[in-house]
Amino acid sequence: MANNFSYFLLTLLLLFTLTVTGSSSQSMDDVKPSTPLVSFLEILQHTAFNTFGNSNFDPKTYVDLPLKFPLSVTDHAFHNLSKSSTGSVSVHDLNRFIETYFHAAGHDLVYSDPEDFVPEPDGFLPKVKNPEVRAWAIKVHSLWKNLSRKVSSEVKTHPNYHTLLPVPGSVVIPGSRFREVYYWDSYWVIRGLLVSKMYKTAKSIVTNLISLIEEYGFVLNGARAYYTNRSQPPLLSAMIYEIYARTGDIELVKRSLPALLKEHEFWNSDIHKVNISDAQGCTRTLNRYYARWNKPRPESSTMDKASASKFTTVSEKQHFYRELASAAESGWDFSTRWMRHPPNFTTLSTTSVIPVDLNAFLLGMELNIAFFANVTGDNRTAEHFLQISDVRKEAINSVFWNANMKQWLDSWLSNTTHEKVQVWDTLHQNQNVFASNFVPLWMKPFYSDALLVSNVLKSLKTSGLLRAAGVATSLSDSGQQWDFPNGWAPLQHMLVEGLIKSGLEEARSLAEEIAIRWITTNYIVYKKTGVMHEKFDVEHCGEFGGGGEYVPQTGFGWSNGVVLAFLEEFGWPEDRKIEC
């Protein structure tokens, strides 16, 4: 048996080769230029760090500051400040400079009273019978008013005074330091808005994201000038699908289709694409995250430079900065999932990972484009995208599926990224357990396969991810926020909805159990703190999450949306208590 197994591995080693289409070399062609304002604000950020110190310091605040005067005037005044040899300024002088030359961060977004908000919409959460839970759900619903903004007219009048981008419609922000619209957050915000019957607000968010595609060729990570070098998990088509399913808005579908085709082209550009020749000699095409950036992220510049300080050469630092920005593009910033030698943060190698979830999202995009094209009568496009979705499904099964673990696993490229042909075998799969290993279940080609769902369900139950207050992100307690013991609303929702849609009674039962745990911990934390949180500690019911590079944030867009979506799906019986 041992000899047969060795022969099997050797065969795989010889048969699996991988070609990266678009070298990972750090060429300047792969880098988006920064704006003069962003570059100046980064310098201000470093000066503020040297002046105020690390305590309660959030670098993002400084790149969000709107100018009161032209940059040339502000820059001149800045250079006239008296600075020490370490680059610091007296606290008094720097505070006075900032107060004189800048508006407060967030000043260029103004509150917007959503026209489709009512305190308790008709038909709101009919299955929520418990009065205590219902009262809380109405409070969560009311948070859409708190999080609604529109871009100030000042941004359109003086765009060079702002890092905020002038999107046309009203937005719903995540909350706290996240003062602008974000890409993948918006999917779960929209799911909550649809429960709240706020269809116009949901459509406005989509319109804003489409405007970014029309301007930049893709949906940015967020609506800031410093986010133009990367995207986020591609869920725009899923947002449009959900709005159409509720409203039948065919005009929105028609308006969206050209933008979605452009977005699909972006994700299948050379830098994001990998071609794989598998054991059967079939060429498979899959995709990865790859930011067009090789410098510190402006919103985290002080932190990124500190993290890169162990590297001695410029090229090593540039490579590390690209890996940081690419992890931010993934939405999982940060996690041991992207580290070659976890938990060593400096071993981030995001561009060397072919991620399960990204390819599942792209499969969903292709299926949605086919659906939209069919709805609008474009049969040729519909047929084309059905064909390429079938090809992607086969690629996902061929490259990611692990029959022993009954999960889909990310695959690593080799370290020698300059080589066009690389050896690939099953040992290059990342066999650590992450919630993302189950994300394909959210897509119809997988949740509609009853035998597959049954196998994945067993694997999920024994994975170690199911905890007292929801699904853990990973099993590694690294101190990074996209690791144990944190749980995140998007991951709970994707897994729960995939289980529900399978139609299997056992799967729905587990889905409801996860949803009840998640709703409960959200509720208890809300009662204790008076706010909704960005992430939660799934090991301890009633505790919010932590870790990562910033303090825990509140608001919070996607947490609100998932709670409302779960309550709509499962309700809450009058006699069911809500307690840890």
Side-chain angles (χ1 to χ4, degrees), residues 64-257:
D64 290 355
L65 295 173
L67 296 176
K68 290 181 180 179
F69 306 102
L71 179 57
S72 58
V73 173
T74 309
D75 184 52
H76 180 74
F78 178 75
H79 280 96
N80 283 339
L81 291 172
S82 178
K83 299 182 181 69
S84 72
S85 59
T86 61
S88 66
V89 176
S90 77
V91 170
H92 174 267
D93 285 356
L94 189 56
N95 277 330
R96 187 173 62 178
F97 169 74
I98 291 172
E99 192 175 309
T100 302
Y101 289 93
F102 298 92
H103 295 292
H107 174 84
D108 40 12
L109 278 162
V110 296
Y111 280 93
S112 173
D113 198 10
E115 61 176 297
D116 51 355
F117 175 85
V118 295
E120 187 171 352
D122 289 340
F124 180 66
L125 299 180
K127 293 193 278 188
V128 178
K129 305 297 186 184
N130 182 299
E132 187 181 355
V133 176
R134 185 165 191 83
W136 171 58
I138 290 169
K139 287 179 181 176
V140 173
H141 158 73
S142 75
L143 294 176
W144 299 133
K145 279 174 70 81
N146 297 4
L147 297 171
S148 291
R149 303 283 190 280
K150 63 181 178 182
V151 175
S152 166
S153 59
E154 297 170 10
V155 179
K156 291 166 187 171
T157 306
H158 295 292
N160 293 334
Y161 286 24
H162 306 264
T163 59
L164 187 69
L165 300 176
V167 293
S170 61
V171 301
V172 176
I173 63 171
S176 298
R177 76 196 291 265
F178 301 113
R179 306 174 183 93
E180 49 283 309
V181 68
Y182 279 80
Y183 186 3
W184 78 317
D185 294 65
S186 293
Y187 174 80
W188 288 280
V189 167
I190 283 172
R191 290 299 299 263
L193 289 170
L194 295 177
V195 175
S196 294
K197 320 290 185 185
M198 295 174 65
Y199 306 127
K200 288 182 180 177
T201 301
K203 183 178 174 181
S204 178
I205 294 171
V206 162
T207 301
N208 290 325
L209 300 183
I210 289 171
S211 77
L212 294 175
I213 295 178
E214 290 168 348
E215 179 68 25
Y216 298 98
F218 63 99
V219 184
L220 310 187
N221 183 147
R224 289 276 176 188
Y226 51 76
Y227 285 145
T228 57
N229 55 67
R230 64 181 189 256
S231 186
Q232 261 193 337
L235 293 171
L236 177 59
S237 73
M239 302 177 209
I240 297 161
Y241 181 88
E242 294 298 334
I243 295 171
Y244 178 76
R246 298 261 186 164
T247 66
D249 190 341
I250 190 71
E251 292 307 314
L252 177 65
V253 171
K254 288 178 181 176
R255 162 103 198 267
S256 304
L257 197 50

